[in-house]
Amino acid sequence: MNRFSDFMLPPAKSTTAETTDALFHFINVTSLIFLVGITIAIIFFSWKYRRRSDEDVTPVISHNNKLEITWSVIPLILVMIVFGWGFTGYMNLITTPDDAYEVRVVAKSWLWEFHYETGFVSVNELHVPANRPVKLIMSSDDVIHSFFVPDYRVKRDVLPNRYTSLWFEVTEPGESIVYCTEYCGTAHSNMLATVFAHTQEDFDTWLETAGSADDDMDPVELGEQLVTRNACDTCHSTDGTRLQGPTFQGLWGSEREMQDGEIVVVDENYVRESILEPNARITKGYQPVMPSYAGTLNDRQIDAIIEYLKTLQ
Ligand code: CUA
C-alpha cells in the first residue's frame, strides 16, 4: 500500500495524513472495481442480447425485487462507510488539540505572513516544531485565499474579516510547500510558502534568534535579502522585466507619472510611502494591488531596502 500511496500522492508528513489517504484509496479502489465491473457487464450484455433477426422481440419485464434491493443496498452500505470514515476524519481535523502551538497567519495578495509569539514576522516561511500540534489562526487582508499543504493533507480558506483555523502535527523535521488554492489574482500561482518543521529544540533556538540575525548585516546586503524574504520580488523584478509592479531596476531617482498625472521623483519618502501605504499613489499603467508592509517591516529594514534600490541602476 505504501508504494501505491507514493505513486498516487505526495509523501504523508502529518499525523492525520494516513487516515485521509486510506479513505482516498478506499474511494478510488471501490470506484475502479465498479467501473471495471459495470463496463464488462455492459459489453457482455450488449453482445449476449444483440439483435439477431427481425423476428426478435424484447420480452416485457416490469421489475425484479431481488436485483433492485441488491443494487440499492450495496451502494448504501458503501456510502455509509465513506460517510462514517469521512465524518470521523473531518471531526479530527477540525478539533485542535489543547496543547497546540499557535501561529498567526495573514494572507495578502500575494504573500503569506507568519506572526509568532515573540512578535517576529516571517514572510513565505513558516517555522514550526515537529511532533507537536500546530494551530494556525488565519485571516486575509484583502481577497479570499486558501492555505494548502499537500504533504499534510490540510487545506482551509483564508477570509477577510473573519478568522479561520487549521491544525496539523508534523511527524518529522523537514520541509513542505504551501500553496494558495483560491484564485486570488494575477500572481496567485506564485503565492507559495515553505514550512520548515524543526525539532522542538531547534525551533526554540530559531525563534530566539529570529530577527536578530540581520543586526550586523551590511544595509545593501540586508535590503537585497529583505526583497526576497518579503516576497517583493513576486511582483517587482530587479532586471527590468515588467511584472505586476514596476521593476526595481533604474527606479531610484527616476521620475514617474502617477495615475492622476502627478509626476513623482522616486526618493526616500516615496519609497517609504509605497511600502507602508502602497495605494496612496499608484504609478500610471499599474493596478492598486500591493499589500501594506506596515507592521511587517521596521524602519531599519525600510532603510536597508532603500539602500539596495539605490544600487539597482
Ligand atoms: Cu492567494 Cu491564490
Side-chain angles (χ1 to χ4, degrees):
M1 199 65 172
N2 267 344
R3 266 222 181 137
F4 179 63
S5 217
D6 289 348
F7 171 70
M8 296 282 288
L9 298 164
K13 295 187 187 168
S14 80
T15 49
T16 52
E18 303 255 310
T19 321
T20 309
D21 290 1
L23 177 56
F24 176 79
H25 291 315
F26 176 78
I27 295 173
N28 260 348
V29 170
T30 318
S31 306
L32 186 71
I33 292 170
F34 274 88
L35 173 73
V36 171
I38 291 171
T39 309
I40 290 172
I42 289 174
I43 294 169
F44 173 74
F45 288 125
S46 328
W47 173 79
K48 188 176 179 197
Y49 297 108
R50 68 190 182 281
R51 188 184 170 103
R52 289 191 174 95
S53 71
D54 285 347
E55 283 84 65
D56 276 0
V57 178
T58 309
V60 178
I61 300 168
S62 67
H63 67 282
N64 183 326
N65 279 338
K66 255 192 214 156
L67 197 61
E68 283 163 20
I69 289 170
T70 313
W71 79 40
S72 303
V73 170
I74 292 176
L76 179 72
I77 293 170
L78 288 170
V79 166
M80 290 314 287
I81 291 173
V82 171
F83 174 77
W85 201 336
F87 187 71
T88 324
Y90 176 74
M91 289 310 282
N92 194 14
L93 282 174
I94 61 160
T95 316
T96 314
D98 290 338
D99 57 338
Y101 181 77
E102 290 185 2
V103 180
R104 176 85 173 86
V105 179
V106 180
K108 300 176 179 183
S109 300
W110 292 281
L111 57 91
W112 298 99
E113 261 182 23
F114 303 102
H115 299 243
Y116 303 86
E117 50 180 328
T118 54
F120 179 71
V121 181
S122 63
V123 174
N124 289 352
E125 275 188 14
L126 169 60
H127 294 260
V128 296
N131 299 308
R132 180 176 173 187
V134 173
K135 180 184 187 182
L136 303 181
I137 300 143
M138 312 188 289
S139 65
S140 165
D141 265 8
D142 35 58
V143 297
I144 301 177
H145 302 273
S146 188
F147 185 94
F148 179 35
V149 187
D151 288 355
Y152 304 165
R153 315 286 193 266
V154 290
K155 175 158 76 176
R156 180 134 302 182
D157 278 5
V158 181
L159 312 167
N161 305 318
R162 181 191 294 192
Y163 297 106
T164 52
S165 74
L166 170 155
W167 82 273
F168 54 80
E169 182 176 334
V170 190
T171 46
E172 55 187 74
E175 291 177 23
S176 294
I177 301 177
V178 179
Y179 294 89
C180 177
T181 45
E182 180 65 49
Y183 182 68
C184 54
T186 324
H188 153 75
S189 55
N190 292 329
M191 195 169 159
L192 306 167
T194 309
V195 194
F196 296 89
H198 308 276
T199 59
Q200 182 71 51
E201 201 181 323
D202 287 356
F203 177 75
D204 292 340
T205 315
W206 172 81
L207 192 59
E208 225 168 85
T209 52
S212 61
D214 307 345
D215 282 357
D216 31 47
M217 206 184 276
D218 167 67
V220 174
E221 199 187 325
L222 174 61
E224 185 174 1
Q225 277 201 15
L226 288 169
V227 162
T228 315
R229 274 188 355 218
N230 292 285
C232 310
D233 56 355
T234 303
C235 301
H236 301 279
S237 76
T238 53
D239 62 0
T241 314
R242 186 192 160 115
L243 301 173
Q244 284 77 43
T247 178
F248 285 158
Q249 190 185 56
L251 181 67
W252 185 262
S254 68
E255 284 189 352
R256 293 295 160 111
E257 190 183 350
M258 298 295 117
Q259 242 162 20
D260 59 2
E262 184 192 359
I263 304 290
V264 170
V265 176
V266 179
D267 60 4
E268 282 87 351
N269 280 319
Y270 174 72
V271 172
R272 189 185 162 81
E273 180 191 76
S274 300
I275 292 172
L276 300 176
E277 284 176 75
N279 297 331
R281 284 186 277 193
I282 300 296
T283 309
K284 198 169 184 170
Y286 292 91
Q287 297 296 314
V289 289
M290 177 170 158
S292 166
Y293 280 83
T296 311
L297 292 170
N298 61 33
D299 285 353
R300 188 170 167 273
Q301 292 172 318
I302 294 173
D303 290 348
I305 290 173
I306 290 173
E307 289 311 313
Y308 172 57
L309 291 184
K310 287 180 184 172
T311 67
L312 296 171
Q313 289 309 314

